[in-house]
Amino acid sequence: MIEELDLVALLIGLPVRDGAAMRLRRGDVGTVVHIYGSGQRYEVEFINANGDTLGVETLNADDVQAVNLGRVILHYSDLEGVA
């Protein structure tokens, strides 16, 4: 069961929204900051390695899954298109 302050991974990609620096991709990890109802929806905050908030999204329970920290690896996104 997912609880507040748990890490979750996105199972879907989300488009860039007004004012957002980047889009969120499948596999991005965020922190649950609020649970709606009995866990049907979650408010999830996504941050970068500096602790800057990239976005806060309200997501359906089937849009995320609990994170196994032993399987988490950091990814540097500025290398796309670099040979």
Side-chain angles (χ1 to χ4, degrees), residues 61-76:
D62 58 353
D63 294 337
V64 296
Q65 75 176 37
V67 167
N68 172 349
L69 290 176
R71 296 187 48 89
V72 173
I73 187 167
L74 293 176
H75 174 83
Y76 186 66

